[in-house]
Structures are given as C-alpha cells and as structure tokens.
Amino acid sequence: LYNPEGSVVWNMAKELKDKFAVDFENLVRQLNAEEEEKRKNGDACALCGCEKLLFEPPVFYCNGMTCPSKRIRRNSYYYVGGNNQYHWCHQCYGELKENQNIEMADMTLTKAKLNKKKNNEVPEESWVQCDKCQRWIHQICGLFNTRQNKDQRSEYTCPKCTITDRKKANKTEGSSTTPMAEDLPRTKLSEHLEKHVRVKMKEKLSNLSKERSASENIPIEEAEKLVAMGGQITIRQVTSMDRKLDVRERMKNRYSYKNYPSEFTFRCKCIIVFQNLDGVDVILFGLYVYEHDEKNPAPNQRAVYVSYLDSVHYMRPRQMRTYIYHEILIAYLDYVRCKGFATAHIWACPPLKGDDYILYAKPEDQKTPKDDRLRLWYIEMLIECQKRGIVGTLTNMYDLYFANEKNDATVVPYMDGDYFPAEVENIIKDLEEGKNSKKALAAGKKKKGKTNKKKKSGRGGTRSTGIDEDALAASGIIPPGVDVKSLQEGGRDYVMAKLGETIQPMKESFIVAYLNWEGAKEENMVVPQDIAEYREKHGFEVKQFPRKKSEKVGNTNTEGESTKNNTQSPEPENSGAGDASKSTSSTEGDSSSGTNGQKKDDSTTSSQSTGTNGAGASESGTAQPNGQHDSKDENKAGGSEPMETESTETNKNGTNGAKAVSISAIPRDGKFAAMAAKKRDIEGNVKPDPAPSSSSTISSSTVKDSRGRIVKVIDDDQEEMDCEFLNNRQAFLNLCQGNHYQFDQLRRAKHTSMMVLWHLHNRDAPTIVQQCAVCSREILTGYRYHCPTCADYDECQECVSNPKRPRHQHTLKAIPVASGQQNELTEAQRKERQRNIHLHMTLLLHAATCKSPKCPSANCTKMKGLLKHGAQCQIKANGGCNVCKRIWALLQIHARQCKQSTCPVPYCMSIRERFRQLTMQQQAMDDRRRQEMNRAYRGAR
C-alpha cells in the first residue's frame, strides 16, 4: 500500500474515521430523540415522523365548449358548479349566456350559480388518532380506511399498538380478514397469465441463484435468499366489457361511398398486477387491451390493440420488473393468438410530462422512457415471442399500409385512442377548410418564395406526393385524390399520402406483429435468419397449417372462419398454464390487421434491427425447453387453454440434447367457426343457444385458492365484468385524482392499493364522497349539511351539533346520506340482475314514449311514477335518495346503449354528454401526445 498501516497518513485517517463514527452516532441519537419528542407531543406522525404532508394539486378539466376537457391552469381563476363536479375556465365562462340553462348530466345550472375560485389549492393529508396510545398518525401511514368508519366512532389501533398486543398474546401471524387481491374474481385470462408468470419467475430466480452461488462462492441456499422475490405476485383481470368506437364524422362522410363502417365494436380488458409488500397487496402494473374479434369488419378484424400500459418501480427485487412485465405481454399474445387473433398492434409513445396513463402521480425518481428506449423495450419482447413461435413477421404501419399507393385510408385499422383516427380527422378538416377558403389561396400565393427555395433544393412538394401544393392552391387547381369524386375514379388518396408523409419519420413507433394463429399465411410467418437459427438450435419447430381449399382468402389478413385453440410457446412450464409472459411500464400501443401491400423480409429485418441482438439474449435460457411438466390440478384450471407442448429435457444451458418441439394450433371444426358469432351482443345480453367460439375454446372450470377454497374461473369473453371506475383508464384516473390516491411514495401506493381493492370488492359503493370542511372526515352516514352558496362545502352532523364549533356564514341544508353498503353480488344474483336490467330497459323506453293515461301495463304506470319522482325529488341520488339511485342507474345503462339523435328518455342526452366529456378528456391527452410526437419528428427532419 502507498500509506501502509503505522504510517502518519494511515494513523491520521484512522483517527478521523473513528471521530466521524462517534459524531455521526451522536447526531443520529439526537435527531431520533427530537423526532420522538415531536411524536409524543402530537406534532408529528407517530409512524413516519413527518408533520404536514401535501398531496398533488387537484386537476380540473374545463366543461366549456371552447376548450372542452382541457386542463385548467394552476393559479388561474375558474368557475365551479354543482358539488364541485363541473368547471369552466375564465374564457368559457365569459361565453356563457346569463339567462340560458346549462344542461349537465345530472343537474341543470345557470351562470349565476357558478362560483369563482382560484386554482391554487394544495390539499393536506388527513390524520387519525389511535384509541389506545392516543398518538396521532397520518391516515395513509396507518392504512386507515375511512369508508369503514361509517359512524365516525369505529375503534382504531395504530400499527405500533397492534404489534405490542400481538407480542403479548404470542400471536405472530396476521389475523386480518380483509379481502385481498387473491380474493378478486379469477378469469381464464388472469389464470393463464398468473400461472405462467409464476413458473417463469421460479425458473428465472433459480438461474439467478445458481449464477450468484457460483460467482460469489456461497451456498445455493444463501444465494436463493438473496435473489428471492419480495412478495407473491398476483394478476387479476378487473374488467371485460364490450364497447363501441364511433367513427368520426369527417372520416365517415369522406369514405361513405365505400360503405365504411360507422362504428367498431371491441372487447376492452383491464389487467392489474399486485405484489404483496410487507403484508399489503400493492398495485405495480396496469394494462388495457382492446380485442377486435372475427365479427368485426375490415380493417379491424382479428386485431388486438395494446392500448395503455403503466407501472411503478416498487417491485422487489426491482431488476425483475422488465422480465415479469415482458412475460405478461408474451403470455397475453400467446393467449389471444390461440383464440384466433391474427395481428397485434402497438403505438410506442411515452406519456408527456405531467400526464399519467393509468397510475396517478409517479415517484420522482422514476424516469419516463424516451420513445426510442420504449420502442426497443417492445421490440425485445416481440423478438422473444418470435423465438418461442408466438409471433411471425414484425413490421410497422407505414411499410404495411402506405407502401402500396393504391391503398386508401380505409385499410388502416381504426382503434380507440390510437394515433390514426385523430390525425386523419385533422387532415380531412384541413382539406375541407382549405378547399373552400379564399384565405387559403392567398396564403398559397404568399408562400411562393418558400416554394421556389424547395425547388432549388431538389424537393418538389411533399415527400409522399411530389406535388407543389402551394402552387396548386394559388392556381385554384385541386390535386388528384383530394375530393371524393377523384377517389371514386381511382385516384390516389390524398389523405393517405399526407398521413404517410407525417408518420414516415416515426414509422418504427407503430409496431405491427403477425401472430402465429391457425389461419396465418406462410408469408406472414417469415422471421429473420438469427431467429430461425435460434429455433433450430434449441429444437423449436414451428409448423405451418395447410389452408383448406374451401377457405376464402380476402385481401386482408383476416379469414372468414373463426379459428383458435391451443399451441404454444417453446416452454414447458405448467401444462395448465402454458404461457409466456412479460409486460412493460408506462406506455400505449396500437392495433391493426394485415392488408395488401405489406413487405416481407425487408420490413421485418428493418423493424427489428434495433433489437435482434439485444433482446432475449440475457433471457434466452428461459425460452428453452426444460422438459414436460404434468399437473392435473392445473389442467382443471386451464382446460383446453393455450398449452406449451414439449417432448424433452435439456441441460443447464438448454442447448444440448433438445429434441424438436412442435409449435402448432389445433384446427377447429367448421361448424364451430360458423357458430362463433353466437356469443354476446353489444348490450351485454347473451344470445340464445351460445355455442363454442373463439372465446370458448378454453373450458370453464374451478380452482383452489391458497386457503383451499373452491373458486370459479370466469370466462371473460362470455361474461361481462363491469367495473365503473376501471372500464376505461380515464375513469380510474378521475377516481384517483378525486380521492388523492397517489403512487408517488411507497406508503401512498400501499394505501391507494388498499382503497382500490376496497372499491373492487364493493363495486356498488360510491366512488367519491363528501368530506366535512371542519373535521376533514368523510361523511358516510346520517346527514351532511351542504352550503348551496359556497362551492364544495359540507359539514358532518357532529360538527354542526357541536356548540364549540364556529358557525358557517350561510344557511346549511341537511341532506341525508345513504346508509349501508352493498357487498359484491353472487354469481346467481349477477345473472338475475342482468335479466332484470334488460326487462327494465324495455320498460323504460316504453314508459318514456307512452302517452296513454290508461296504459294497460301496470309496470308502465310504476315506471312513470319513478321518472316523475326523479324529476321532482329534492334530495336526488347524490343526496342519498335510494329511489333516485335506482332510477339513475337505469338511465345510465340506457344512455350507454342509446344511439338516437333525440331520445325521449329523460336525461339520456345529458348523461351521454357526460360520457362524451369523459371520452374527450382521454382524447385531449391522446391529442397532446400525438401533436408532441408530430412536432418532435418534424423538427428533426
């Protein structure tokens, strides 16, 4: 050593080190003493030691017509109406007329009733006092559920007192009976994903422990403890609903001559991933997917759209995040291709700063991936799918749809939340306004100088068309393909050309993957040479299915028959689970089906050039066959679920002695394919005589949970799973924002997950309740005293009756609060409820249109009476009137289904307007990221 032991420098350094250790220990002791003193005096939380903690500022969206669904800026003035439900920015408020009623979903407002406020509020975390030690703690720190404290007198014991009591009673195990993530309903999809992920995790952790044992020369048992997961992973599907996407007006009008559909139906599914951290199930990952089945018209037929993904980094260990999230996605693609879906689509676009896709308020130290990193993340996952035989060719939207000049905009899949619908609508709008505007011609003349510069540089007009648009506009000549008439005559679609020019620089972000389903075309299963060599090296043989002569092949990549069932990946984890899964963090995707004009080898290799050598290399061992695993219990759960079939075992590296693994799909009989449409209509009613279809190839079954209870596995394609606040991501974000359910700290993530689980187990309970402005407690029973003058001001009954409390300046109105809560319905109750709802829908429409004062139907008279009560009741549903609640529920169900331009059912139009506002909030965020993506890539040209 340069300064060996005994030297002057060594002695001085040792002395400084010892002094630092002593001083540091004294300082920590002093700080702990000060913190403990604050806790005893009630100045700080007895658990976290912090005092005043603030939430994220609330987010308000404008309900005006000028800037619908745009965020109201911080520190600006706005106007609020109702129970703080509706907001108008200063500009939209100025455009409201004084004496005109403002019709909202559940109330009628006037401009005079709107109250002015400033958007500068920062809410503070609430507190709760332990009934044993009398110490105060944050409700979030103590995992206090205010919804269970209905009478405001429930006894609460803080965690410290609970631990002390358990030690005295020699009870080390938890005794809570609160329903957890495992108690949520199970579906075939969630069982498939969960079983596969757990098997893959076991394999991965086994490999990691062996590597660590060898590298650090420690026993394998010790290495297993070092790499072990921090808690059990639970995967649940929380919603499965049929939804409709209306084609926007300009798109529909422009291509009406081709009988372009006015709407597309799809199945929306939401998947949530939990991990048990310190005894609490914490939400770590959310995924929304849209499935367009064989009954959909082209171009959406048999297409899966990976819509939104979001995650937080609290997984233990953190380095397993990418592996597990990838495996979830791989397992999902494996699952849907066995059900007959042909293509998977992803729009790799990260959220903008300040935006959240699913989980509200991320940790400050969690980075948002850039678009190129996010793209690579998806490509790595899809390359692993190729290695396992789940995916064939990888390409992108531009190469697939825009390379062929004969294609028009009708061949591009039309997906909810995707880049394409809004961008096409803007292009058509610009065409229509430019065609009829004199200002556009004048603008074209002013731009002549710029046009000449472009000509000198060798570029004539746009990149796609080669037409000098400014010169044409100045001369009044309409370019070919602009108007509908030239389209009908076979001209190139100008909208398609403009859209292709826009997305060409960012084409790699619009990923399209051909799935290896039973009806897959051979040319769509072409993979790069290195993938083929990997399959051959590891013994994976992907079988192609000969097409029947009777099958018709159209110009799209979607066959007329429904085919789907079993085949799978080259991995032999649980036979009943047979999946491959991985998933990703914070982003979204896109889905489309294949049509003419796609490139084969060129587009495949180019789209994979960023990831062929990086993805899956570190995980290739998990993609190798490890031997057959037979499990009868798991087969009960999986039924004829997608299953991996293998025939041999491999050595540690998985390369030697591996026999060929057959990856194939079991063909379905033609009669089942023809009967596949007999599933469920868009209103959620089961059609008579349901027959096996693409969604019923996986048999229904029951499984045993960890406590030995028999639980049913729901067929998520046959039965709807309605969850009001999770049916779309915007509703979930609104729930989290309204209740301050945040994920920016682990303690908040635990409390948020606990409350979301409570909502999931009590789906009929109100999502948002009023808080007392004096004591800050939620008003759940008795009466709430509402101020009709002030915005969002309520007091609880206890504070109003307490003479020591200061009186509010305005007269308060007593409103009864609904008592009791409805727990989760049984399966029989849910089916009976669906039948009753269908009957009530018919009766509601009849009663709204019936003008006869002596209608022979007794039920008609009753329904008219209920509607009259709803119109005259002063308490309303928000106030706790049970009759109004039932009426309001029926009206909302009707409004979701109604498509009439003028509906006679009361409040139908206003409820639909509220749904429209929710949709516009989501579209506003989609538009922001689409515009930002356009700006970024145009600036890079």
Side-chain angles (χ1 to χ4, degrees):
L1 295 177
Y2 187 74
N3 293 304
E5 183 177 355
S7 66
V8 176
V9 175
W10 191 91
N11 292 333
M12 291 176 63
K14 185 178 184 302
E15 184 180 349
L16 286 173
K17 179 184 176 184
D18 294 340
K19 181 173 176 52
F20 172 80
V22 173
D23 292 346
F24 180 76
E25 186 178 350
N26 293 334
L27 179 61
V28 170
R29 191 182 302 111
Q30 179 183 346
L31 292 175
N32 288 336
E34 292 176 359
E35 189 175 291
E36 189 62 31
E37 188 65 26
K38 286 183 180 180
R39 291 176 177 174
K40 288 179 180 179
N41 296 335
D43 297 332
C45 174
L47 295 179
C48 70
C50 299
E51 299 180 25
K52 186 177 181 180
L53 295 177
L54 302 177
F55 286 115
E56 284 288 310
V59 179
F60 300 117
Y61 296 94
C62 180
N63 293 101
M65 298 303 295
T66 303
C67 56
S69 301
K70 287 188 178 179
R71 283 187 178 184
I72 296 176
R73 296 193 307 272
R74 288 288 294 168
N75 298 314
S76 64
Y77 288 97
Y78 69 102
Y79 297 82
V80 61
N83 280 327
N84 202 25
Q85 299 175 43
Y86 304 106
H87 312 85
W88 285 264
C89 66
H90 190 76
Q91 179 183 357
C92 292
Y93 175 80
E95 296 177 357
L96 295 175
K97 296 181 180 179
E98 292 292 342
N99 299 322
Q100 185 175 354
N101 289 338
I102 308 171
E103 295 291 339
M104 304 310 294
D106 53 350
M107 62 183 68
T108 301
L109 302 171
T110 60
K111 187 174 181 178
K113 292 182 179 179
L114 303 182
N115 299 291
K116 186 176 182 179
K117 296 184 73 175
K118 190 173 183 180
N119 188 15
N120 60 353
E121 300 174 0
V122 182
E124 180 185 351
E125 283 192 19
S126 299
W127 297 73
V128 62
Q129 187 179 26
C130 175
D131 292 311
K132 288 195 174 182
C133 65
Q134 303 302 313
R135 288 184 291 190
W136 287 89
I137 62 175
H138 293 118
Q139 291 184 2
I140 289 177
C141 293
L143 295 177
F144 182 73
N145 186 349
T146 56
R147 300 301 179 92
Q148 302 286 55
N149 187 30
K150 287 211 158 188
D151 56 0
Q152 307 294 347
R153 291 177 176 82
S154 301
E155 183 179 348
Y156 175 72
T157 306
C158 70
K160 286 190 174 182
C161 293
T162 302
I163 293 173
T164 302
D165 293 344
R166 286 184 182 175
K167 286 182 178 179
K168 289 180 180 178
N170 291 324
K171 294 180 179 178
T172 57
E173 297 296 329
S175 57
S176 174
T177 57
T178 303
M180 303 287 281
E182 186 188 21
D183 301 306
L184 291 173
R186 301 166 184 247
T187 67
K188 293 180 177 178
L189 174 57
S190 69
E191 284 293 285
H192 177 79
L193 299 179
E194 185 178 82
K195 288 181 179 179
H196 173 76
V197 167
R198 289 182 177 178
V199 170
K200 300 300 291 184
M201 281 169 44
K202 187 176 180 181
E203 291 180 5
K204 180 72 172 177
L205 294 173
S206 176
N207 293 335
L208 289 176
S209 61
K210 291 176 182 177
E211 291 174 5
R212 188 153 187 175
S213 175
S215 62
E216 299 182 11
N217 196 24
I218 57 177
I220 188 67
E221 294 78 11
E222 183 179 345
E224 288 175 351
K225 292 179 181 179
L226 292 174
V227 301
M229 292 293 293
Q232 182 73 284
I233 295 291
T234 303
I235 302 175
R236 287 293 180 269
Q237 181 180 350
V238 293
T239 185
S240 179
M241 291 287 292
D242 282 333
R243 286 173 52 186
K244 288 183 180 179
L245 171 63
D246 294 321
V247 176
R248 301 193 187 188
E249 201 62 31
R250 290 184 173 89
M251 175 76 179
K252 185 165 57 177
N253 293 339
R254 179 175 174 85
Y255 299 101
S256 59
Y257 74 96
K258 298 190 71 174
N259 295 322
Y260 192 74
S262 60
E263 63 183 21
F264 292 96
T265 61
F266 60 93
R267 191 80 164 181
C268 173
K269 298 180 179 181
C270 177
I271 296 161
I272 302 292
V273 177
F274 302 84
Q275 186 179 23
N276 191 278
L277 302 177
D278 308 318
V280 181
D281 286 332
V282 180
I283 296 174
L284 299 180
F285 175 81
L287 166 67
Y288 278 90
V289 291
Y290 301 154
E291 297 178 358
H292 300 255
D293 61 14
E294 69 278 1
K295 295 181 292 183
N296 257 273
N300 285 16
Q301 197 175 49
R302 296 188 186 277
V304 172
Y305 179 38
V306 180
S307 179
Y308 294 98
L309 300 168
D310 209 353
S311 73
V312 285
H313 62 29
Y314 299 126
M315 180 176 286
R316 298 175 186 168
R318 189 177 294 188
Q319 59 266 28
M320 288 291 289
R321 286 178 67 213
T322 295
Y323 180 80
I324 290 176
Y325 297 160
H326 273 178
E327 285 295 329
I328 292 173
L329 280 185
I330 294 172
Y332 174 74
L333 294 179
D334 190 25
Y335 181 87
V336 294
R337 62 112 177 184
C338 295
K339 281 155 43 70
F341 289 93
T343 53
H345 307 265
I346 301 171
W347 176 17
C349 178
L352 299 180
K353 184 178 181 181
D355 282 340
D356 293 300
Y357 283 159
I358 302 173
L359 308 180
Y360 175 53
K362 303 292 192 310
E364 289 185 2
D365 60 337
Q366 178 171 325
K367 296 180 180 179
T368 301
K370 300 295 183 183
D371 56 349
D372 55 345
R373 179 67 189 92
L374 183 60
R375 228 177 11 247
L376 178 61
W377 191 95
Y378 275 116
I379 291 296
E380 288 176 350
M381 178 272 297
L382 291 171
I383 289 176
E384 188 65 27
C385 287
Q386 284 184 320
K387 292 179 178 179
R388 304 182 188 186
I390 298 169
V391 166
T393 300
L394 293 182
T395 182
N396 59 74
M397 281 185 63
Y398 183 85
D399 293 337
L400 188 58
Y401 303 113
F402 296 88
N404 188 346
E405 294 187 0
K406 294 181 180 179
N407 286 341
D408 58 24
T410 62
V411 306
V412 183
Y414 200 92
M415 306 289 186
D416 188 18
D418 189 23
Y419 176 93
F420 170 73
E423 188 68 20
V424 166
E425 201 75 1
N426 284 346
I427 293 174
I428 299 174
K429 179 183 177 182
D430 291 343
L431 280 180
E432 292 175 351
E433 292 177 353
K435 184 169 58 177
N436 300 320
S437 173
K438 294 181 180 179
K439 292 182 181 179
L441 297 178
K445 293 178 182 178
K446 290 179 183 179
K447 292 179 182 177
K448 271 189 174 182
K450 293 183 180 180
T451 304
N452 292 335
K453 289 181 181 179
K454 289 179 181 178
K455 286 181 179 178
K456 288 179 182 179
S457 64
R459 180 181 169 188
T462 67
R463 190 184 334 227
S464 296
T465 59
I467 298 173
D468 192 332
E469 297 162 18
D470 294 335
L472 287 175
S475 64
I477 301 174
I478 300 175
V482 170
D483 60 336
V484 177
K485 183 179 179 181
S486 63
L487 280 179
Q488 294 174 336
E489 293 173 354
R492 185 184 181 188
D493 187 1
Y494 184 83
V495 172
M496 193 70 169
K498 289 293 292 181
L499 181 61
E501 176 194 357
T502 303
I503 74 168
Q504 197 274 336
M506 48 181 156
K507 66 178 184 178
E508 301 297 343
S509 295
F510 303 97
I511 304 169
V512 181
Y514 283 100
L515 301 178
N516 182 22
W517 67 298
E518 187 212 9
K521 298 179 182 178
E522 186 174 352
E523 59 267 27
N524 294 334
M525 292 297 105
V526 177
V527 295
Q529 184 63 31
D530 59 336
I531 300 294
E533 291 174 355
Y534 178 92
R535 290 176 177 175
E536 183 179 357
K537 180 179 179 181
H538 295 85
F540 298 140
E541 180 182 351
V542 180
K543 292 184 178 179
Q544 298 294 335
F545 300 95
R547 188 177 303 280
K548 299 176 183 178
K549 294 182 180 180
S550 59
E551 290 184 10
K552 296 180 180 179
V553 181
N555 63 346
T556 65
N557 190 36
T558 55
E559 273 62 42
E561 293 193 45
S562 166
T563 55
K564 23 220 152 196
N565 200 359
N566 147 342
T567 64
Q568 295 289 339
S569 339
E571 291 139 302
E573 50 255 26
N574 289 347
S575 306
D579 339 287
S581 54
K582 271 188 186 182
S583 161
T584 96
S585 50
S586 172
T587 169
E588 328 168 46
D590 180 24
S591 68
S592 51
S593 60
T595 61
N596 333 358
Q598 64 259 31
K599 296 182 179 181
K600 298 180 185 177
D601 298 343
D602 295 342
S603 62
T604 305
T605 54
S606 64
S607 66
Q608 297 180 65
S609 59
T610 58
T612 47
N613 295 326
S618 62
E619 300 166 8
S620 59
T622 63
Q624 301 162 8
N626 295 331
Q628 188 80 14
H629 180 78
D630 193 8
S631 173
K632 295 182 180 179
D633 291 339
E634 290 166 353
N635 282 334
K636 289 181 182 179
S640 57
E641 207 170 314
M643 199 180 284
E644 296 167 353
T645 57
E646 310 187 21
S647 55
T648 66
E649 295 184 359
T650 64
N651 59 12
K652 291 181 181 179
N653 298 324
T655 56
N656 299 328
K659 297 181 181 178
V661 179
S662 174
I663 304 171
S664 58
I666 298 176
R668 293 179 52 77
D669 294 333
K671 64 176 182 179
F672 291 119
M675 297 167 69
K678 294 184 178 182
K679 197 167 56 168
R680 177 185 287 274
D681 59 23
I682 192 64
E683 285 77 21
N685 303 316
V686 178
K687 295 183 179 181
D689 300 324
S693 69
S694 62
S695 60
S696 62
T697 59
I698 303 172
S699 63
S700 63
S701 57
T702 58
V703 294
K704 284 186 178 181
D705 64 8
S706 61
R707 284 175 274 182
R709 299 172 300 181
I710 301 294
V711 293
K712 180 185 177 183
V713 177
I714 299 172
D715 187 340
D716 53 283
D717 289 307
Q718 295 292 335
E719 300 182 41
E720 290 205 339
M721 301 178 66
D722 187 4
C723 183
E724 181 183 357
F725 59 89
L726 275 166
N727 282 339
N728 65 73
R729 65 160 196 88
Q730 190 61 50
F732 183 65
L733 272 179
N734 290 349
L735 171 78
C736 293
Q737 291 169 353
N739 291 288
H740 306 298
Y741 295 160
Q742 299 181 187
F743 290 85
D744 54 342
Q745 300 172 12
L746 179 57
R747 64 187 194 90
R748 285 179 174 171
K750 289 179 179 179
H751 183 266
T752 296
S753 302
M754 178 192 74
M755 294 307 301
V756 170
L757 279 171
W758 185 87
H759 283 291
L760 286 170
H761 287 291
N762 301 272
R763 301 193 181 201
D764 299 309
T767 54
I768 298 177
V769 296
Q770 281 75 29
Q771 271 191 335
C772 177
V774 179
C775 65
S776 299
R777 292 184 297 189
E778 293 182 342
I779 308 172
L780 301 170
T781 57
Y783 286 82
R784 67 179 175 93
Y785 292 82
H786 177 71
C787 178
T789 305
C790 300
D792 194 26
Y793 187 92
D794 296 273
E795 288 189 21
C796 66
Q797 194 167 355
E798 183 178 342
C799 290
V800 170
S801 58
N802 189 346
K804 296 182 181 180
R805 299 283 191 185
R807 300 292 113 192
H808 186 61
Q809 56 183 336
H810 302 128
T811 304
L812 301 179
K813 181 181 179 182
I815 300 175
V817 178
S819 59
Q821 69 187 44
Q822 184 175 358
N823 293 323
E824 188 177 6
L825 301 176
T826 64
E827 206 56 47
Q829 288 173 328
R830 286 195 181 277
K831 289 183 178 180
E832 181 64 21
R833 184 174 180 232
Q834 288 294 330
R835 191 184 71 85
N836 289 335
I837 287 174
H838 179 69
L839 295 175
H840 278 79
M841 289 298 99
T842 305
L843 179 59
L844 177 64
L845 187 59
H846 167 79
T849 55
C850 179
K851 303 299 182 183
S852 172
K854 297 181 180 180
C855 182
S857 173
N859 290 329
C860 175
T861 306
K862 290 180 181 179
M863 181 61 73
K864 287 179 179 177
L866 290 175
L867 294 176
K868 186 177 180 181
H869 169 89
Q872 298 177 350
C873 180
Q874 298 300 315
I875 300 175
K876 301 292 184 183
N878 288 335
C881 176
N882 289 326
V883 177
C884 287
K885 281 186 176 181
R886 288 194 289 269
I887 298 171
W888 193 247
L890 290 174
L891 292 175
Q892 284 187 311
I893 295 171
H894 165 81
R896 287 193 184 100
Q897 304 169 1
C898 182
K899 292 296 179 183
Q900 299 183 39
S901 55
T902 54
C903 181
V905 174
Y907 300 107
C908 176
M909 302 302 291
S910 57
I911 295 173
R912 283 158 62 183
E913 174 63 20
R914 186 169 185 176
F915 290 157
R916 188 185 71 86
Q917 291 284 350
L918 193 66
T919 302
M920 291 190 69
Q921 286 181 21
Q922 182 161 320
Q923 288 180 356
M925 194 191 78
D926 293 335
D927 287 342
R928 286 197 300 274
R929 63 195 181 96
R930 177 179 55 81
Q931 291 163 6
E932 175 62 23
M933 199 169 183
N934 288 345
R935 185 199 62 76
Y937 279 93
R938 283 170 183 166
R941 285 191 215 177

